[in-house]
Amino acid sequence: MRDRMLTADVQLGPFEGTKITVYSARGKNARLHVHRECGQLRTANVTKTEVPLNADVVDRFCSGCADWGPRARPTSGLGILMGALGGVGLLHQLQAYAEPDEDVYWTQDEVRAAAELLRSKRDAADEDDEDDDGRWEARRDADELQEQVLSLWRHAAGSLHRAQAVIAHFPWLTVWARPKLLAKEGYLETLRAQAALFVEPAGLVVAAAAAALDTPTLPADDHAFAVLGNRSQISIGLSALWRRWQYAAERGWEGPASRAFRRYDLVEGIRSNKKGHAEALEGAARLIQSWEYEARAAAAATDSTPTVWVTARLPEDTEEPSRGDVRDVLDGLDRWTLGVLVTWTVTADWSRRTLTLKVPTFVADRLLASSSALACERGAEAAPAEAVPQAQPGSVRPGVFDDTAVFDRQPVTLAHLRALRNFSYAADQLYIVFSTSGGAEVLPLKAIEKRVAQGCAQHRPLARR
């Protein structure tokens, strides 16, 4: 079966029976087409018919028309449902990232070997040790595999999030989609476990300790740094070195060798043959080593056993994506945060962007700090997820956006408006709405969203303008 194709087994829920217009050649068993101009409709004798949308009708759609489903006004309930299913919507997402791709595949042994190679390199005392060509190529291949595994895990998580988010708006799809979601969840867990092989839990704790370090007293009077200039210039240079080191140390899990090169930042722009260059470089290395020691000592002074339950909420998209630009749910998170999620996630509700973690104390402190990229709070032990979530009042159904009698209309919620914006390409336009406070008004979608978000009187859409 091709992905993106609407098939007869897809549950239509409350939209089953909706009248749609189809075109066909003459004949009882002729294929149905939702567009008169469909390339597979090769006849001059075309019949136009209005039929109730159901499994039998869907089963007769041609393959091209099944990619997007029946034609409906894009801002109607049925149009929003078809927009959510078609294209790169639910039907595509349920088949994506459900199993290893034969074109991009690696074995568990390959992942484990690459992780061990990178760990041995991180544990090396001197990053300047010269490897032979074979070892250098092996290290490069291991680095590439690490990034491929992490990237695939992120994309698989984003695909699961998008699939679950669609189902949250159309809950009657839950039972039908559950086997496919289980396959995606299983593959995502496989990728998470593989990605976790590359992450050093101890390195994450050290990074959290480094982030918590206060600015140290800097040796601006040390003659080793005389090449930088006067005392004020030395102080500025050392302060910049500290900030760059701390920034690098708090954003990953790699060991000291990955940051030792920061010593060259201090002498940037100074000729290497200038008197005092070597002394300044050695002094910078000593400072970085002392900061590394302080971070490791702080981490060692706390229990690194994961004992603290934290509920983490991934950030919502604050900007509307441009057409064709689909952001993954994990986009924007730094490397340290991704490492924490890979290592200590216990359960995840990707549709609500909510993950339950069990982390060490130092890591919990950093996650709970206001500077964290995640919105976190201390939580209880993870509860088992419900097999079938209950329908939400914000689910899209007939009577919310459809051109029906006003007294049959349903109040619009923020979830309805979110579905309209996410799944309809024609969402940004003017709408006639009715509210108990303002009566009938013509408003753009952003204004309606703002009012509903602020808890104003419920609005009922009358029609698009």
Side-chain angles (χ1 to χ4, degrees):
M1 181 195 304
R2 295 191 308 141
D3 61 5
R4 307 187 184 190
M5 181 178 287
L6 181 66
T7 53
D9 64 315
V10 178
Q11 301 298 303
L12 298 171
F15 292 100
E16 184 169 357
T18 301
K19 295 292 186 179
I20 62 170
T21 300
V22 296
Y23 305 87
S24 66
R26 297 186 182 278
K28 183 178 180 181
N29 298 317
R31 285 289 179 186
L32 300 180
H33 308 267
V34 299
H35 300 283
R36 173 63 181 82
E37 302 80 13
C38 178
Q40 297 187 36
L41 183 56
R42 304 184 183 94
T43 179
N45 298 319
V46 176
T47 300
K48 179 181 179 181
T49 315
E50 190 175 72
V51 298
L53 180 62
N54 55 40
D56 292 336
V57 169
V58 170
D59 198 40
R60 289 179 60 191
F61 282 158
C62 75
S63 59
C65 293
D67 280 346
W68 287 97
R71 173 179 286 183
R73 180 167 55 80
T75 54
S76 68
L78 181 59
I80 294 171
L81 173 61
M82 291 301 110
L85 293 175
V88 292
L90 180 63
L91 300 180
H92 171 71
Q93 298 302 334
L94 288 177
Q95 297 186 62
Y97 303 103
E99 59 184 359
D101 188 331
E102 61 182 13
D103 296 327
V104 183
Y105 181 71
W106 45 77
T107 66
Q108 187 72 11
D109 289 341
E110 288 173 333
V111 173
R112 187 175 291 107
E116 290 175 354
L117 176 61
L118 294 179
R119 189 175 298 111
S120 66
K121 181 63 178 177
R122 287 196 290 263
D123 292 339
D126 188 351
E127 85 285 358
D128 287 334
D129 285 346
E130 294 292 336
D131 294 332
D132 57 39
D133 290 343
R135 289 174 63 91
W136 182 86
E137 290 181 1
R139 166 65 189 270
R140 180 196 61 191
D141 292 344
D143 274 327
E144 289 180 355
L145 182 56
Q146 173 182 251
E147 297 310 312
Q148 287 175 341
V149 173
L150 286 168
S151 176
L152 193 59
W153 168 71
R154 289 175 53 195
H155 290 317
S159 176
L160 181 58
H161 160 70
R162 288 191 288 275
Q164 290 181 340
V166 170
I167 293 170
H169 288 292
F170 310 99
W172 59 85
L173 294 168
T174 300
V175 175
W176 168 79
R178 189 59 186 159
K180 300 177 178 65
L181 288 177
L182 288 174
K184 290 176 69 67
E185 290 169 359
Y187 184 50
L188 179 62
E189 175 56 24
T190 297
L191 292 173
R192 187 208 62 78
Q194 290 182 342
L197 293 175
F198 291 102
V199 180
E200 287 280 1
L204 295 172
V205 177
V206 171
L213 291 179
D214 294 327
T215 303
T217 301
L218 300 171
D221 294 322
D222 191 331
H223 292 296
F225 304 113
V227 71
L228 299 180
N230 58 36
R231 189 181 190 281
S232 176
Q233 291 170 318
I234 293 174
S235 180
I236 292 173
L238 295 180
S239 295
L241 178 65
W242 159 258
R243 290 193 300 271
R244 291 184 180 184
W245 172 85
Q246 188 178 45
Y247 182 87
E250 68 185 24
R251 279 167 169 73
W253 57 81
E254 293 81 1
S258 67
R259 297 181 288 274
F261 75 93
R262 286 293 172 189
R263 65 182 184 267
Y264 292 102
D265 293 342
L266 186 64
V267 293
E268 185 177 2
I270 300 175
R271 299 192 315 274
S272 59
N273 61 352
K274 186 174 181 178
K275 183 179 180 181
H277 181 279
E279 289 80 358
L281 200 58
E282 291 173 2
R286 289 194 300 271
L287 280 177
I288 289 177
Q289 288 173 1
S290 69
W291 299 335
E292 294 283 359
Y293 175 82
E294 188 175 355
R296 292 196 301 272
T302 63
D303 185 3
S304 61
T305 305
T307 57
V308 182
W309 290 96
V310 173
T311 300
R313 291 179 177 81
L314 300 169
E316 296 280 351
D317 290 336
T318 56
E319 298 181 0
E320 297 176 27
S322 59
R323 181 166 296 182
D325 178 23
V326 180
R327 285 174 55 86
D328 279 330
V329 69
L330 297 174
D331 281 355
L333 300 183
D334 60 49
R335 195 172 180 82
W336 181 84
T337 304
L338 292 173
V340 168
L341 299 184
V342 160
T343 304
W344 289 304
T345 294
V346 179
T347 61
D349 183 346
W350 294 101
S351 68
R352 295 180 175 86
R353 297 172 175 259
T354 302
L355 294 82
T356 301
L357 316 175
K358 191 177 183 182
V359 299
T361 302
F362 235 135
V363 173
D365 291 342
R366 180 174 175 186
L367 288 173
L368 295 167
S370 59
S371 59
S372 172
L374 306 174
C376 297
E377 60 184 21
R378 290 186 183 273
E381 184 173 349
E386 295 182 7
V388 180
Q390 298 298 314
Q392 300 297 318
S395 60
V396 178
R397 56 196 185 278
V400 177
F401 295 110
D402 303 288
D403 292 329
T404 58
V406 175
F407 57 79
D408 286 337
R409 294 298 180 91
Q410 303 294 320
V412 175
T413 68
L414 194 58
H416 292 144
L417 299 176
R418 211 172 271 133
L420 174 63
R421 182 172 292 284
N422 289 343
F423 307 130
S424 175
Y425 66 85
D428 283 317
Q429 54 183 294
L430 295 176
Y431 295 84
I432 303 175
V433 300
F434 176 83
S435 69
T436 55
S437 60
E441 299 175 275
V442 177
L443 298 172
L445 182 57
K446 282 188 176 180
I448 304 173
E449 289 173 323
K450 184 177 181 180
R451 286 194 185 182
V452 176
Q454 291 174 345
C456 295
Q458 292 178 324
H459 291 68
R460 297 172 188 266
L462 301 182
R464 66 188 179 95
R465 190 171 177 83

